Amino acid sequence: MEGIKLIRDDGLRIDGRKPDELRPLKIEANVLHRADGSAYVEWGQNKVLAAVYGPRETHPRYAQRMDRGNVQCRYNMAPFSVVDRRRPGPDRRSIEISKVTAEAFERAVLTEKFPRATVDIYIEVLEANAGTRCAGITAASVALADAGVPMRDLVAACAAGKVDGQVVVDIGKDEDNFGQADLPMAIMPRTGEILLLQMDGHLTAEELEKAMDMAMDACKRIGTVQREALTKRYSVKSNGTGPDGGGNDG
Ligand code: ADP
């Protein structure tokens, strides 16, 4: 399909980024005081909030697992998060993203530590501009750590893709619309274990390898920003200058 020019004559991308450059990323932990854990992520023009509850007893009881707990996720896009008002409520896409996100965290969370209980993750996309599943996973991971949910490692997510024949990371909206491939990936930065890998479009085997390497490297950088957000949250708490020193009010 004929699209717009995504790599400029100076070799930079349509928004001026280098191939391996992320959009600006800001993460804040512990932003909601009713939830057990929370995080807010601004990533380019994406704005995403994640809230975590639990572990708390699984209802209904037949869904309880005796040897381990459950991880549930609801990803939701606000009606005002996209250019045309989105019809509220779940759609096929948000059901799919909720499912793959829960599956990613099922592997990262130490569910064996809380049998018969469930951790609920809520991801609310306030503004969307491509990459919201990755922003949601990145936020949810910080919210889980903020809630004190035991995990093997943080989970960081970022998409790679192909635009004008070139492999790049952190696909923006125009790149998503007019590019040739989009490959969101979530990993545990410490081990590099892949928890989510999806792909739209076309890549050669070589390009796929390069895209995965670049996404992996980007996720490791994102992991550093996540750890900084958590360090900041706990240093605020120990100074006694935080809002209330924690979200777990009962
Ligand atoms: P992701 O947000 O993880 O990249 P997609 O590739 O499915 O997921 O979507 C890309 C972008 O398309 C979203 O970030 C959002 O900006 C836009 N988008 C998704 N769903 C809708 C919708 N129902 N209406 C308008 N725009 C949407």
Side-chain angles (χ1 to χ4, degrees):
M1 189 186 77
E2 215 28 59
I4 56 173
K5 196 167 152 58
L6 295 170
I7 300 286
R8 310 185 318 200
D9 292 337
D10 60 5
L12 296 177
R13 294 155 67 180
I14 192 163
D15 58 4
R17 282 186 289 154
K18 298 190 207 82
D20 64 348
E21 191 175 337
L22 298 171
R23 291 174 287 182
L25 172 64
K26 275 199 309 197
I27 307 179
E28 193 180 341
N30 189 36
V31 291
L32 301 170
H33 300 133
R34 302 268 176 268
D36 292 329
S38 59
Y40 174 63
V41 165
E42 276 187 18
W43 187 344
Q45 285 163 39
N46 292 305
K47 295 192 171 123
V48 178
L49 203 49
V52 164
Y53 288 89
R56 51 190 182 180
E57 192 182 348
T58 304
H59 291 290
R61 285 180 80 104
Y62 66 75
Q64 292 184 359
R65 296 191 291 190
M66 293 305 141
D67 57 339
R68 65 205 147 106
N70 296 319
V71 178
Q72 294 185 153
C73 176
R74 192 193 72 181
Y75 162 104
N76 181 53
M77 277 178 119
F80 49 80
S81 65
V82 288
V83 177
D84 299 313
R85 178 183 175 277
R86 186 186 157 271
R87 198 192 166 100
D91 53 16
R92 274 173 58 111
R93 177 179 169 278
S94 61
I95 292 166
E96 181 238 346
I97 295 176
S98 301
K99 177 178 180 286
V100 295
T101 302
E103 284 169 355
F105 283 110
E106 175 94 20
R107 177 82 191 113
V109 170
L110 293 165
T111 53
E112 61 272 26
K113 301 265 190 210
F114 50 91
R116 300 190 302 277
T118 297
V119 165
D120 283 294
I121 302 168
Y122 295 94
I123 295 169
E124 295 290 328
V125 178
L126 308 177
E127 265 180 44
N129 202 44
T132 61
R133 78 193 62 203
C134 293
I137 290 170
T138 298
S141 171
V142 175
L144 284 162
D146 181 39
V149 172
M151 285 189 285
R152 292 187 168 78
D153 190 8
L154 289 170
V155 180
C158 186
K162 183 171 150 189
V163 296
D164 287 354
Q166 193 165 325
V167 179
V168 298
V169 287
D170 189 20
I171 296 283
K173 188 80 179 94
D174 289 331
E175 293 174 329
D176 188 33
N177 287 352
F178 303 107
Q180 296 145 305
D182 177 18
L183 181 127
M185 181 161 132
I187 66 159
M188 289 193 277
R190 202 164 43 84
T191 58
E193 188 179 331
I194 297 172
L195 303 176
L196 174 138
L197 182 64
Q198 300 181 298
M199 186 172 125
D200 287 325
H202 298 278
L203 292 175
T204 64
E206 247 169 63
E207 287 165 344
L208 174 63
E209 202 170 318
K210 183 165 185 203
M212 286 178 63
D213 284 348
M214 283 176 77
M216 183 82 71
D217 181 68
C219 287
K220 289 185 177 163
R221 282 179 271 152
I222 292 159
T224 307
V225 183
Q226 290 175 306
R227 279 193 298 279
E228 282 167 5
L230 287 162
T231 308
K232 191 167 165 209
R233 178 250 185 279
Y234 284 105
S235 60
V236 167
K237 184 186 169 187
S238 59
N239 288 341
T241 50
D244 69 359
N248 199 341
D249 60 1

